[in-house]
Amino acid sequence: MKKIILTTLNSRFTHTSIALRYLYANLQELQNSAKILEFSINDAIQTIAEKLLLQSPQIIGIGVYIWNVSEVYELIHLIKKISPNTKIILGGPEVSHEPFRVNLDNADFIIQGEGDLAFYELCKNILDDTAPKERILKMSMPSLKNLALPYRYYTDDDIKNRYIYVEASRGCPFECEFCLSSMDEKVRAFNLDELLAEFELLWQRGARNFKFIDRTFNLNIKTANILLDFFLAKEPSTKEDKPPYFAHFEVVPDHFPESLKAKIASFPHGALQLEIGIQTLNPVIANNISRPLKLDKIKENIAFLENETESHIHLDLIVGLPGETVQSFGKNLDELVALSSCEIQIGILKKLSGTYINRHDIEHGMVYSDIPPYDVLQTSQLSFFEIQTMKRFSRFWDLTYNSGNFKESVKLIWQDESVFENFYEFSLWIYTQTDSTWQISLQRLGELLFKYLCEIKNLSKKTVAQKMLDDMMKLKGRVVPAYLKEYAENLSLSNKHGTSGFNKRQQ
């Protein structure tokens, strides 16, 4: 039995919570009385409550995020019905800024801000019967040098089966109005020597996937180079070997000095993933949301990453930004596809409590849902129906273009014409066939793509089939789908295994 339980509901089983491990690492003498129990939003809430209360805890600390706040509401309701004397402490980005749009009144305490040290103090006071009268506790940012690091509290099972989240810094220097990171006062860095020692211990325990959560990994080039050197020193003995690790970084698109470029170009295929938040390439829209946009540098650096490195690149675009039209968004997508063949994630604008995006509500007719994830519903430039269409566009884009299953054949949809306009027509058509964007099997999706290319775009069945076979049969173990069998009699493909670790789209 434990007095303190630290818990959250991750969005997937493969995810872990670095936040819970920070809290646990900094519990000092209370650590032996505490335990981490993680779940996912797909778990039954009553089962979660059962497993938490089996420990007969006096305190349950819950990490609250945009993806789990609705489930947390239900979980708190259950816990308080069954064990009303158990004290519930909430923390995390979803409760760090008001207004709260999900009713969390049944929680006993809410820590707003970085709770690494504050959680310990609050638990100590509760256990000593000296709990504060205030329910909402607003925390200033702790000095990072005072924090115990969390990495030793990843379990062997975590290391074997799940992402290992790490960070070298906190904060972001930019003021993008849709992002909670813009609320931070400054960027703060951890002691690099201590950090590398912890990473080495993780490595010795078998950790091979490191996902950095820093908002601006390449802001400090000296630090970025040292961290990249840590992984480059772990290179396989020959270029034919699979990379022994997978490292993910979020980078600033316009800040790639030559020293950093040289390091990135040294990584083998499948080892390095770089996430770049483009959001928009329209200077007027970027200015609306206080986002710096150095277009020439962005294009130059994307071209470098595309043509001179083996990195897997993930670019982000947002639908629904203040003032942006469908046509403007379409131009953004056309430009990015022309620049790179990488993954392009299309997201829908969300209105997070605490951000400054609300200043556009009247001028640009911004209307948002008050139900998580707080998506934009309509703007003065986009109707509700257009945004619904773009949500489906995003989903079908992810299933076909981003998935890697149709890497070359999907390009037949647009060929030398506008990517956006042609894929838009495809997304309208495929929705008429499925009436859904979910639970579409790879077999069904492939059949629909084949049908569209042959019957709607009037392309040669043989040409389409060859492209699709090249795409779909590149991984060992796959069987030729029935609708392509007549075109596969003399099939000669160079099958390969998937890439290592968790980066399944890097084929």
Side-chain angles (χ1 to χ4, degrees), residues 354-386:
T355 60
Y356 299 120
I357 197 75
N358 61 352
R359 75 184 184 91
H360 300 285
D361 287 0
I362 295 176
E363 180 183 356
H364 292 288
M366 311 296 288
V367 178
Y368 301 87
S369 171
D370 287 325
I371 298 170
Y374 318 124
D375 283 354
V376 66
L377 297 175
Q378 66 182 36
T379 75
S380 57
Q381 300 291 339
L382 295 172
S383 70
F384 170 69
F385 303 101
E386 287 175 314

Side-chain angles (χ1 to χ4, degrees), residues 405-414 449 453 459 464 466-469 471-472:
N405 290 315
F406 308 99
K407 196 171 182 68
E408 296 301 323
S409 46
V410 71
K411 297 175 185 177
L412 295 173
I413 292 174
W414 56 82
L449 178 61
L453 291 172
L459 300 179
V464 173
Q466 187 58 54
K467 285 280 190 185
M468 293 189 69
L469 285 167
D471 281 341
M472 298 182 71

Side-chain angles (χ1 to χ4, degrees), residues 282-341:
N282 185 323
V284 175
I285 306 305
N287 186 62
N288 280 351
I289 57 173
S290 306
R291 183 172 182 83
L293 193 63
K294 300 176 183 176
L295 278 175
D296 290 342
K297 274 292 181 184
I298 289 172
K299 292 177 179 180
E300 174 189 320
N301 290 331
I302 291 176
F304 159 74
L305 294 171
E306 170 76 8
N307 300 315
E308 299 181 46
T309 81
E310 295 285 347
S311 302
H312 178 68
I313 312 303
H314 174 118
L315 304 177
D316 293 320
L317 282 178
I318 293 180
V319 172
L321 292 170
E324 187 128 79
T325 64
V326 169
Q327 292 74 24
S328 170
F329 176 86
K331 185 180 178 183
N332 292 336
L333 185 62
D334 284 350
E335 283 193 65
L336 283 188
V337 173
L339 283 171
S340 173
S341 61

Side-chain angles (χ1 to χ4, degrees), residues 40-59:
S40 87
I41 56 174
N42 298 314
D43 295 327
I45 301 300
Q46 291 192 5
T47 302
I48 295 173
E50 177 187 12
K51 290 182 178 180
L52 294 174
L53 294 175
L54 275 174
Q55 300 288 324
S56 300
Q58 292 177 247
I59 299 169

Side-chain angles (χ1 to χ4, degrees), residues 64 96 208 229 305 356 393 431 441:
V64 190
S96 287
R208 294 296 183 269
D229 280 338
L305 294 171
Y356 299 120
F393 180 106
Y431 185 62
S441 69

Side-chain angles (χ1 to χ4, degrees), residues 469 479-489:
L469 285 167
V479 177
V480 175
Y483 62 92
L484 295 178
K485 278 188 176 177
E486 65 178 288
Y487 307 98
E489 291 179 0

Side-chain angles (χ1 to χ4, degrees), residues 449-490:
L449 178 61
F450 184 73
K451 180 178 180 181
Y452 184 81
L453 291 172
C454 297
E455 297 182 12
I456 307 300
K457 302 295 283 187
N458 294 316
L459 300 179
S460 158
K461 288 185 177 181
K462 186 176 181 180
T463 300
V464 173
Q466 187 58 54
K467 285 280 190 185
M468 293 189 69
L469 285 167
D470 288 344
D471 281 341
M472 298 182 71
M473 302 307 296
K474 64 188 174 184
L475 296 182
K476 288 185 178 180
R478 283 189 173 174
V479 177
V480 175
Y483 62 92
L484 295 178
K485 278 188 176 177
E486 65 178 288
Y487 307 98
E489 291 179 0
N490 300 312

